[in-house]
Amino acid sequence: MTPARTFPRRSRTLRGQESRAGLVLISPTLVITLVVVIVPMAWAIMLAFQDARLINIRYTGLLGNYTLGNFAYVLSEPGFWGSLATTLVYTVAGTALSIGGGLAAALALRSGFRGRTLVRASILLPYVAPVVAATFVWEVMLDPRYGIANVLGTRLLGWDDPVAFLTQAEGTFLGVDVPLALLTVIAFEAWRYFPFAFLFILARLQALPRDLDEAALVDGATPVQRFAHVTLPQLGRVIALLAVLRFVFTFNKFDDVYLLTGGAAGTEVVSVRVYNLLTARGDIGASAAQALVLAVVLVVFLTIYLRFFAKEGP
């Protein structure tokens, strides 16, 4: 009878020891998350509801005067809605082009050929290169005085004058006015981050069974039909995941746009506007409020994605 009585007690003791050991193991991660993520986020939310500026930041705190004035100021400024529209155009176009480029590269390098490993490795260079080096190369390449793009354009393509790709807000293409600088930073976004999509899509392509593709080939399906009806449906979840990841990353993007144009010539995205509010005006409360609005937009997008596109499937 004694062993039967002590066994449940010993089992509860072992479970308690395992629980305490688990808490000890995850405590470093919890502390880092608290210090690096939770506390700064709570501080930013608190500042968004206070009249906080660089000159009075020392007087702000948990017991400060809370107000919605920062949000009214941010939402009433005409420049905010323009920068939000620019951000959405930049994000959607950059996301679509980077995923499309990664898909095209993955399909092209799916089959084996001599030197395939070297080509696959070289495709990763835009993604792994430091952003400062990448933007500097593009600035030199697109410079209207000595950039290779303008040299080729004026000598081979018949351009009348050099084009200032990064400082000219609007340009004419085939008789149509286009936002030149914005299209340039979108092209940079697609070029720099298509290797990210390439890695995801290529990994999925390598795992696809060949049976369905071979059966479609035997049935006489064309390459386009095999891609549309066999390959693409099996890439749907990977592309959806890439879409949400690239949307979030691009929506928050600051360094690429700021290093290329500084937010000038019609390329002021919301993240650059937050930076300008913080540094140029010293308005910490308004910059925090605008960053909070940016976070709310991302939460809405993620909610839509999880509601309609992240359902369990086979």
Side-chain angles (χ1 to χ4, degrees):
M1 294 298 294
T2 302
R5 294 175 181 173
T6 58
F7 179 79
R9 187 183 306 169
R10 183 179 303 175
S11 177
R12 288 193 298 270
T13 303
L14 291 176
R15 285 197 297 268
Q17 292 176 351
E18 292 176 354
S19 299
R20 288 190 293 271
L23 290 175
V24 171
L25 291 175
I26 67 172
S27 58
T29 303
L30 293 177
V31 171
I32 293 174
T33 303
L34 179 66
V35 173
V36 177
V37 179
I38 304 300
V39 172
M41 185 181 301
W43 181 252
I45 294 174
M46 183 189 68
L47 291 176
F49 291 92
Q50 297 189 42
D51 185 18
R53 299 177 181 270
L54 287 177
I55 59 175
N56 65 350
I57 185 65
R58 69 174 67 181
Y59 302 112
T60 60
L62 291 176
L63 302 179
N65 296 322
Y66 290 89
T67 176
L68 295 175
N70 290 325
F71 293 94
Y73 169 73
V74 167
L75 297 177
S76 62
E77 271 202 319
F80 169 75
W81 297 105
S83 65
L84 183 59
T86 301
T87 304
L88 290 174
V89 172
Y90 170 71
T91 301
V92 173
T95 299
L97 289 176
S98 61
I99 294 177
L103 176 61
L107 291 172
L109 300 179
R110 181 185 184 186
S111 303
F113 59 88
R114 180 170 298 187
R116 183 182 67 172
T117 302
L118 179 61
V119 174
R120 286 182 174 179
S122 63
I123 281 182
L124 300 179
L125 287 177
Y127 185 66
V128 300
V131 62
V132 175
T135 53
F136 177 76
V137 169
W138 272 61
E139 287 178 352
V140 173
M141 181 179 67
L142 300 177
D143 191 278
R145 296 165 295 176
Y146 48 77
I148 187 174
N150 279 289
V151 171
L152 294 177
T154 54
R155 293 183 181 180
L156 301 180
L157 302 179
W159 295 356
D160 296 330
D161 299 304
V163 179
F165 289 95
L166 297 175
T167 57
Q168 185 174 338
E170 291 187 355
T172 302
F173 180 73
L174 298 179
V176 180
D177 292 336
V178 294
L180 186 61
L182 181 59
L183 291 179
T184 302
V185 296
I186 289 173
F188 178 84
E189 172 74 17
W191 168 80
R192 178 161 169 76
Y193 295 103
F194 88 91
F196 181 82
F198 166 77
L199 289 176
F200 276 73
I201 296 174
L202 182 63
R204 182 66 182 114
L205 283 174
Q206 298 292 75
L208 294 181
R210 294 280 185 174
D211 299 344
L212 295 177
D213 193 64
E214 293 175 354
L217 181 62
V218 171
D219 292 338
T222 64
V224 175
Q225 290 174 332
R226 295 203 307 271
F227 169 75
H229 300 288
V230 178
T231 305
L232 189 59
Q234 299 180 81
L235 298 176
R237 289 194 173 275
V238 173
I239 292 176
L241 175 62
L242 282 171
V244 70
L245 290 177
R246 286 305 325 151
F247 187 94
V248 171
F249 295 158
T250 308
F251 200 84
N252 287 306
K253 185 59 64 178
F254 167 79
D255 49 0
D256 294 352
V257 178
Y258 190 79
L259 290 173
L260 283 174
T261 65
T267 62
E268 187 184 45
V269 294
V270 176
S271 57
V272 174
R273 186 173 178 81
V274 171
Y275 175 80
N276 290 333
L277 279 174
L278 180 61
T279 57
R281 303 185 188 182
D283 196 338
I284 300 176
S287 60
Q290 190 159 271
L292 194 59
V293 172
L294 186 70
V296 170
V297 174
L298 285 178
V299 168
V300 170
F301 176 81
L302 289 175
T303 302
I304 294 174
Y305 169 77
L306 295 174
R307 175 65 177 83
F308 296 103
F309 300 102
K311 297 178 181 179
E312 294 293 333

